[in-house]
Amino acid sequence: MENFQAVVGLCAKHKTTLGYGALSLLSAGGEQLFSQVVFKCPCNAWSFSYSLVSMLVPALVLLLLGFLLNSRTWRLLTGCRAPFPGRRSRRCRLRVLVLLASGASVAPFTWIAVALLNGAYYECLVTGEPPLPPPWLRTRLCLDMGEACLGDLHRMPCESGEAAEEVIRYLRAESQVLGWILIASVMSFTLVCTCISHCRSPVSFLQLKFWKIYMEKEKEMFETKAKEHAAKLAERNVQSFFECTKPEPFLTPGNREWHQISSLYAYNSKGQFYSTIHKYVESPDKTASIRSAQGDVLPPVLVFVDDLAMGEAAI
């Protein structure tokens, strides 16, 4: 238990957002609760299917939940079919989806890794009756125990005895080795991708730090100003309704303006813009689209721009 908690803590430090980290921790705790309280190997022909579904389907649910909880998903999709110019290219959208998938996969990998470290799913899966799992996966467990072992193999997770305990210990060790290999592979891949993204960063380390501070301040001021503006508009409309008077003129951004600043951020070396709002207010032609321009790129190291703009914390 102490080992898997240390692994989960290490994985949490490499999350893309605080929300993904919390979801990863919840998935680890949920897997432990599920395996101890809900999961019971049937020890029959259903063993393989039951254990495989119990391990992979919750991981799939967590993957979908990761997409649902990521504000960048909705920032990409909201209004994507609206009649506004400046559509992003298919390649650009594909890169955004890859970034989304990389963040959403944290919790599913955590679930599968903790499930393998637990060993219960793997024990039930491998000892299932033919045709699944494959014969070679079962016969290697009974090389020195004869044909009787193969016939009783599917019942071993539910039985006690020297032969059953020997097979279960072997499977549990094998499952934990696979779990550690998965964890090491994911962490190594994450480290390599993080190093590459920082090496290819279009800005320096200190500017990147300043950029994050700017985005935090912009988010705070935007929320404050939005509340004030909404309160004034609501007060003006309610007062006009109850007093039966013509409302006073009130300037507020239109649909096009909201659509402009809600688009995903893209870096362009020709302009020193720290957010879509910054790019919009600096644009000399407010009617022109700021959503796409020649030279726009989406560096992974700048993914925090959209996250902070939507109220999520960056690492």
Side-chain angles (χ1 to χ4, degrees):
M1 182 67 70
E2 291 79 6
N3 289 336
F4 102 86
Q5 289 176 343
V7 172
V8 171
L10 187 60
C11 291
K13 294 180 181 179
H14 292 79
K15 57 191 179 295
T16 55
T17 65
L18 291 177
Y20 285 140
L23 187 60
S24 178
L25 292 174
L26 286 175
S27 65
E31 192 285 327
Q32 285 293 301
L33 182 64
F34 184 86
S35 61
Q36 294 178 10
V37 178
V38 179
F39 181 82
K40 302 294 181 185
C41 185
C43 298
N44 54 30
W46 276 93
S47 294
F48 182 87
S49 301
Y50 176 73
S51 56
L52 192 65
V53 168
S54 298
M55 184 166 61
L56 297 184
V57 171
L60 175 61
V61 172
L62 288 170
L63 178 66
L64 298 178
L65 188 60
F67 279 103
L68 288 172
L69 295 180
N70 192 344
S71 59
R72 300 185 87 239
T73 303
W74 310 116
R75 192 160 191 166
L76 176 65
L77 294 178
T78 302
C80 66
R81 302 299 299 176
F84 285 95
R87 293 261 172 255
R88 288 200 182 278
S89 65
R90 183 177 300 177
R91 181 180 178 184
C92 179
R93 288 181 177 273
L94 181 60
R95 293 186 66 181
V96 173
L97 288 175
V98 170
L99 291 174
L100 288 173
S102 64
S105 62
V106 173
F109 275 122
T110 301
W111 177 280
I112 295 175
V114 175
L116 288 173
L117 291 179
N118 182 287
Y121 301 91
Y122 189 77
E123 298 164 11
C124 186
L125 184 147
V126 175
T127 57
E129 292 184 350
L132 294 174
W136 64 267
L137 200 59
R138 304 176 80 253
T139 53
R140 63 191 177 84
L141 301 174
C142 298
L143 292 178
D144 300 326
M145 301 182 187
E147 294 295 330
C149 172
L150 287 176
D152 297 335
L153 191 61
H154 66 277
R155 292 194 294 268
M156 286 187 177
C158 303
E159 292 182 351
S160 58
E162 185 177 350
E165 290 180 359
E166 181 179 350
V167 171
I168 294 303
R169 282 197 301 269
Y170 176 83
L171 290 176
R172 186 164 299 175
E174 193 172 66
S175 178
Q176 290 176 352
V177 168
L178 291 175
W180 283 113
I181 291 175
L182 176 62
I183 292 171
S185 301
V186 172
M187 297 301 294
S188 299
F189 179 77
T190 303
L191 178 61
V192 170
C193 290
T194 303
C195 291
I196 292 175
S197 67
H198 279 265
C199 287
R200 301 186 64 180
S201 172
V203 296
S204 63
F205 175 78
L206 289 180
Q207 187 177 5
L208 197 63
K209 187 174 182 179
F210 168 81
W211 202 322
K212 293 182 180 181
I213 295 173
Y214 168 82
M215 287 304 305
E216 291 174 354
K217 295 301 180 182
E218 183 187 88
K219 181 182 83 72
E220 294 174 4
M221 294 181 180
F222 181 85
E223 291 178 350
T224 301
K225 189 64 178 178
K227 291 178 181 178
E228 294 176 357
H229 194 79
K232 291 178 181 179
L233 179 59
E235 182 181 4
R236 171 253 201 185
N237 293 339
V238 171
Q239 183 178 0
S240 176
F241 172 77
F242 280 105
E243 296 180 359
C244 299
T245 58
K246 185 178 180 180
E248 298 178 357
F250 192 91
L251 294 179
T252 189
N255 289 342
R256 178 177 290 274
E257 287 74 19
W258 285 110
H259 205 272
Q260 292 267 54
I261 68 168
S262 297
S263 60
L264 289 170
Y265 176 81
Y267 177 81
N268 196 311
S269 59
K270 296 180 180 179
Q272 188 71 22
F273 305 123
Y274 292 112
S275 67
T276 52
I277 292 181
H278 186 192
K279 186 176 182 180
Y280 174 78
V281 299
E282 294 281 357
S283 177
D285 184 4
K286 296 297 188 293
T287 61
S289 173
I290 65 168
R291 300 189 66 194
S292 61
Q294 187 176 4
D296 281 359
V297 292
L298 296 172
V301 74
L302 297 180
V303 67
F304 68 90
V305 176
D306 288 323
D307 292 340
L308 280 176
M310 295 299 291
E312 296 179 3
I315 297 304

